[in-house]
Amino acid sequence: MHPSEVLFQGKRQPLLLAACDHYAGSEKLMRKSIALQQELGPLFDITFDCEDGASAGAEEAHARLVAALLQDEGNRFGRIGVRVHDPASPFFAQDVEIVCAAAAQLAYLVLPKVNGVQDVLRAIELVNQHAGRAGRADLPIHVIIETHGALRDAYAIAALAQVESLSFGIMDFVSAHYGAVPANAMRTPGQFTHPLVVRAKLEIAAACHAHGKVPSHNVTTEIKDSAVVANDAQRAAAEFGYTRMWSIHPAQIKPIIKAFTPRLSEVNEAGNILLEAAKAHWGPIAQNGRLHDRASYRYYWTVLQRAKLAGLTLPEAANALLNASPDEH
């Protein structure tokens, strides 16, 4: 049997997405992002922004530009999503209608500032109506958790089948406390130490992992010092269980990808363990004095998948495991 069949026993495998979600709002930045994705390959996703990217009074024109860029030949990998206005905005329905006309080329749609699971359900219903007309069913939905109500319902939102990822909108979340949480909690080190912010991050990550979805960490506002970005990404991954992170500047993309990519030594270890496991028909094995069974196999299987997604050159044997057809094991 194929490793994925053995290790997950009919359960839905956890979703995996590129480690970096790069936001771009203006036409210039959107086109630059497409060019960079063409250069690097689909190692990161791009999110076009209709919420903050549109100038006041030009919301419809901006949405139409976004739809046109989705359908442009530059969208070579199909890994561009769109953040629309929030469901309470007068521009929400217009954004959804225009953007979803290009649903066949759309990787996902991002919902900001929802106030709870009912907001998400209503939004998904409208999205499905318009995406369905373009021949797209079950368009993946990403939800930004940045209100008290959304955080309260994080588990319920993550449980929705069409929801693929939850992101933390740290700036709006902190602002929603009206001064009770200091501004320095929006950035390092406060964002990793303030109890209310830490609680929110952990709730989002836990909700995602409980339902096999992708937790996406908030942006780092520092755009000149790549060491700050790398440190934030490393802490998000190692201490808070995030597997993805926003970027708002091209210089942030590579440090984020690197921080979330498994080390080569871990990739080699994962390949060796899984090869031995396959030879043992996925029963327990001992390697280097340590016992491994299907619980650890699931971990190492994910390590290989994340490494492949990040563009690492994998050992030949590990590649063979990942690329094998289901009837080869």
Side-chain angles (χ1 to χ4, degrees), residues 125-147:
E125 184 178 3
L126 182 66
V127 169
N128 288 346
Q129 288 176 15
H130 291 291
R133 290 172 190 154
R136 182 74 180 273
D138 300 324
L139 178 69
I141 301 295
H142 294 191
V143 180
I144 304 178
I145 306 298
E146 50 193 337
T147 68

Side-chain angles (χ1 to χ4, degrees), residues 84-87 92 96 100 109 111 114 117-130 141 143 162:
V84 294
H85 282 82
D86 68 270
F92 171 70
V96 170
C100 285
L109 190 138
L111 299 177
V114 299
V117 67
Q118 291 304 316
D119 272 2
V120 179
L121 286 168
R122 285 189 292 269
I124 288 175
E125 184 178 3
L126 182 66
V127 169
N128 288 346
Q129 288 176 15
H130 291 291
I141 301 295
V143 180
Q162 210 165 322

Side-chain angles (χ1 to χ4, degrees), residues 219-304:
V219 68
T220 292
T221 55
E222 173 60 60
I223 58 175
K224 292 184 178 180
D225 190 345
S226 62
V228 174
V229 180
N231 177 70
D232 286 357
Q234 179 63 34
R235 294 194 69 177
E239 299 175 31
F240 289 81
Y242 281 77
T243 57
R244 181 171 166 98
M245 182 170 165
W246 289 20
S247 158
I248 55 169
H249 189 279
Q252 295 182 334
I253 294 172
K254 287 183 179 179
I256 289 172
I257 294 173
K258 182 178 180 181
F260 282 92
T261 299
R263 295 185 304 276
L264 191 57
S265 59
E266 189 177 17
V267 174
N268 289 330
E269 181 185 30
N272 292 334
I273 289 170
L274 291 173
L275 283 171
E276 288 299 315
K279 292 176 185 177
H281 303 288
W282 304 103
I285 64 167
Q287 189 175 91
N288 298 325
R290 294 179 181 175
L291 176 69
H292 295 283
D293 59 16
R294 292 188 186 184
S296 56
Y297 299 158
R298 282 191 287 272
Y299 170 81
Y300 289 114
W301 179 246
T302 305
V303 168
L304 289 187

Side-chain angles (χ1 to χ4, degrees), residues 203-217:
E203 288 284 346
I204 292 166
C208 284
H209 291 304
H211 297 289
K213 307 302 174 66
V214 177
S216 184
H217 194 263

